[in-house]
């Protein structure tokens, strides 16, 4: 358990390039326009403006091929699998690679593995770590509420455990499986990790690490950072309140264990021993940061080996913007976490 802060060149206000600021404003406006006060969503508008990337099954793009696989057509459960390819013989493909099961963000309501930004991020994780990335298309709220998303996430693990060879190349090593996600995807990764630790029914798959990028957690209480950054882009209070309302079971409030994961209503993970080592990323301009630090403290108290990495000048979701140097830094830190973990599993 350790905590580290990434030094930044400026310690004053956020200094984002105009391109990032424009993208963030566009996304905030788009989600505001699509959300209706009655708790429904304008999917037609979103389909029009959520730009998609096609899979690249035959010719690698940036050194990575990708392919979509349907696991259960009845609930549109599918995954996009990213596989790195080496052009030179210096790195041989006979070397086994860890598998990262990835859950995209979007408040449980928006986006999917084909969305431009998430396709690009997964491709980068596949190439840079290197790893096989399995990006999950889980059902979205408000059409599908809690716990559909967690069921879908856990079912993908079970599917990989039983049928992994049908989706993954033979050099994929499921005994080195990581869960990763950002925002709502990191919330999902947490709950899937809890379930995987409790059920322990995997044959070959073993979850050995969890990468939690700016997880979406909350509660009835308004924390200091939520009040101070109430009007932040993407995850302002008005937006997160709406997202929780349409995701959590009707009649429950934000102290539900799905959102208030570290409160008295939380599941007890201490002593289970199966919860994986965790890397938590926090941004200093993200209103959700207080909940994220509580999560890290709670993991540590529960006996989980958890590391906290702070980016003091970063907003929510910063790492999907490739023009930010901090986005590259984060990927490098994930690479080190994954490789260190794989190395302790099989020292060579
Ligand atoms: C494995 O694949 C078969 C055939 O597609 C499917 O019926 C079965 O449910 C899968 N197993 C799991 C655990 O998902
Ligand atoms: C939510 O979490 C906070 C601690 O993080 C706790 O003080 C509060 O009582 C929680 N609420 C419930 C009902 O769990």
């Amino acid at each position: 358990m350790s905590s580290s802060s990434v030094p930044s060149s400026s310690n004053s206000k956020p200094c984002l390039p105009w391109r990032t600021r424009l993208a963030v404003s566009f996304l905030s406006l788009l989600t505001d326009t699509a959300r209706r006060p009655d708790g429904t969503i304008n999917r037609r508008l979103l389909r029009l403006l959520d730009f998609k990337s096609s899979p690249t099954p035959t010719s690698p793009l940036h050194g990575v091929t990708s392919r979509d696989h349907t696991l259960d057509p009845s609930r549109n459960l599918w995954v996009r699998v990213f596989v790195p390819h080496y052009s030179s013989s210096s790195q041989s493909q006979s070397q086994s690679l860890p598998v990262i099961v990835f859950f995209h963000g979007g408040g449980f309501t928006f986006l999917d593995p084909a969305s431009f930004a998430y396709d690009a991020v997964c491709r980068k994780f596949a190439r840079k770590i290197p790893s096989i990335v399995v990006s999950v298309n889980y059902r979205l709220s408000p059409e599908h509420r809690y716990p559909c998303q967690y069921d879908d996430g856990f079912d993908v693990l079970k599917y990989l455990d039983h049928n992994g060879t049908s989706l993954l190349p033979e050099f994929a090593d499921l005994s080195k499986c990581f869960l990763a996600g950002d925002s709502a995807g990191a919330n999902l990764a947490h709950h899937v990790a809890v379930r995987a630790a409790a059920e322990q029914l995997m044959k070959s798959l073993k979850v050995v690490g969890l990468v939690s990028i700016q997880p979406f957690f909350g509660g009835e209480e308004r924390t200091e950072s939520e009040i101070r950054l109430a009007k932040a882009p993407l995850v302002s209070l008005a937006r997160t309140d709406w997202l929780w309302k349409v995701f959590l079971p009707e009649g429950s409030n934000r102290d539900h264990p799905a959102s208030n994961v570290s409160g008295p209503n939380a599941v007890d993970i201490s002593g289970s021993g199966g919860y994986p080592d965790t890397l938590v990323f926090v941004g200093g301009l993200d209103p959700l940061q207080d909940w994220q630090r509580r999560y890290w403290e709670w993991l540590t108290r529960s006996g989980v080996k958890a590391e906290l990495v702070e980016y003091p000048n970063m907003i929510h979701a910063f790492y999907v913007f490739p023009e930010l140097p901090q986005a590259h830094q984060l990927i490098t830190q994930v690479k080190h976490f994954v490789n260190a973990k794989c190395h302790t599993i099989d020292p060579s």
Side-chain angles (χ1 to χ4, degrees):
M1 52 194 105
S2 66
S3 161
S4 62
S5 190
V6 177
S8 55
S9 47
S10 109
N11 45 16
S12 53
K13 291 187 66 173
C15 189
L16 298 173
W18 65 268
R19 198 174 138 190
T20 315
R21 285 205 304 265
L22 202 66
V24 166
S25 308
F26 170 75
L27 286 172
S28 297
L29 179 71
L30 174 61
T31 56
D32 286 347
T33 318
R35 283 188 297 116
R36 299 194 187 102
D38 69 355
T40 62
I41 195 115
N42 187 342
R43 292 271 172 223
R44 261 181 51 198
L45 176 73
L46 288 174
R47 265 196 294 277
L48 217 59
L49 295 169
D50 173 11
F51 302 106
K52 307 287 186 186
S53 300
S54 304
T56 55
T58 48
S59 52
L61 176 64
H62 302 307
V64 176
T65 55
S66 60
R67 198 181 286 271
D68 293 347
H69 299 271
T70 297
L71 310 192
D72 179 358
S74 72
R75 53 178 150 152
N76 196 25
L77 181 59
W78 58 270
V79 293
R80 180 166 290 185
V81 179
F82 297 84
V83 178
H85 287 259
Y86 307 109
S87 47
S88 75
S89 54
S90 57
Q91 268 178 307
S92 124
Q93 232 162 54
S94 60
Q95 173 199 350
S96 79
L97 293 182
V99 176
I100 299 181
V101 179
F102 180 85
F103 302 101
H104 68 84
F108 302 110
T109 298
F110 304 108
L111 308 168
D112 69 47
S115 298
F116 180 80
Y118 283 111
D119 180 86
V121 155
C122 288
R123 200 173 287 279
K124 234 169 261 165
F125 280 134
R127 181 175 70 251
K128 295 245 168 107
I129 291 180
S131 61
I132 316 285
V133 178
V134 178
S135 181
V136 178
N137 187 64
Y138 52 87
R139 283 169 287 181
L140 298 176
S141 61
E143 293 87 347
H144 303 277
R145 281 171 181 261
Y146 163 94
C148 288
Q149 293 73 10
Y150 302 162
D151 293 341
D152 291 351
F154 188 62
D155 289 347
V156 168
L157 283 197
K158 282 200 297 197
Y159 191 97
L160 289 174
D161 193 36
H162 285 84
N163 295 325
T165 48
S166 66
L167 308 189
L168 306 175
E170 71 268 20
F171 53 92
D173 186 350
L174 281 169
S175 71
K176 294 172 189 153
C177 179
F178 291 79
L179 300 175
D182 68 301
S183 196
N187 173 304
L188 222 162
H190 161 71
H191 288 283
V192 170
V194 169
R195 225 185 258 193
E199 303 203 9
Q200 292 182 337
L201 39 70
M202 301 296 170
K203 290 192 305 179
S204 54
L205 183 148
K206 191 157 178 5
V207 178
V208 296
L210 168 58
V211 177
S212 185
I213 304 170
Q214 301 184 286
F216 183 32
F217 295 128
E220 280 301 301
E221 180 196 337
R222 301 298 193 189
T223 70
E224 187 277 324
S225 64
E226 281 180 317
I227 295 165
R228 178 166 44 91
L229 300 163
K231 296 216 158 57
L234 304 170
V235 282
S236 63
L237 270 181
R239 297 189 186 104
T240 53
D241 281 358
W242 188 93
L243 292 167
W244 287 126
K245 194 161 190 289
V246 303
F247 168 71
L248 294 170
E250 302 216 37
S252 55
N253 66 20
R254 293 186 303 273
D255 280 334
H256 190 277
S259 37
N260 196 348
V261 290
S262 39
N265 293 345
V267 284
D268 182 11
I269 56 163
S270 62
S272 82
Y275 198 95
D277 292 2
T278 303
L279 181 60
V280 183
F281 289 99
V282 172
L285 298 173
D286 183 345
L288 303 174
Q289 61 189 282
D290 288 343
W291 292 109
Q292 295 162 351
R293 287 196 198 92
R294 283 179 190 178
Y295 169 60
W296 169 73
E297 284 160 9
W298 170 76
L299 288 176
T300 302
R301 271 203 313 280
S302 307
V304 173
K305 201 165 157 235
E307 192 180 337
L308 181 73
V309 178
E310 303 241 12
Y311 280 85
N313 292 330
M314 288 294 111
I315 58 168
H316 193 72
F318 72 90
Y319 90 109
V320 305
F321 301 104
E323 64 273 21
L324 300 177
Q326 289 86 348
H328 298 275
Q329 203 173 343
L330 182 143
I331 291 188
T332 305
Q333 286 161 334
V334 173
K335 172 191 167 97
H336 289 155
F337 173 75
V338 170
N339 290 335
K341 204 56 220 158
C342 291
H343 191 73
T344 49
I345 295 165
D346 80 346
S348 51

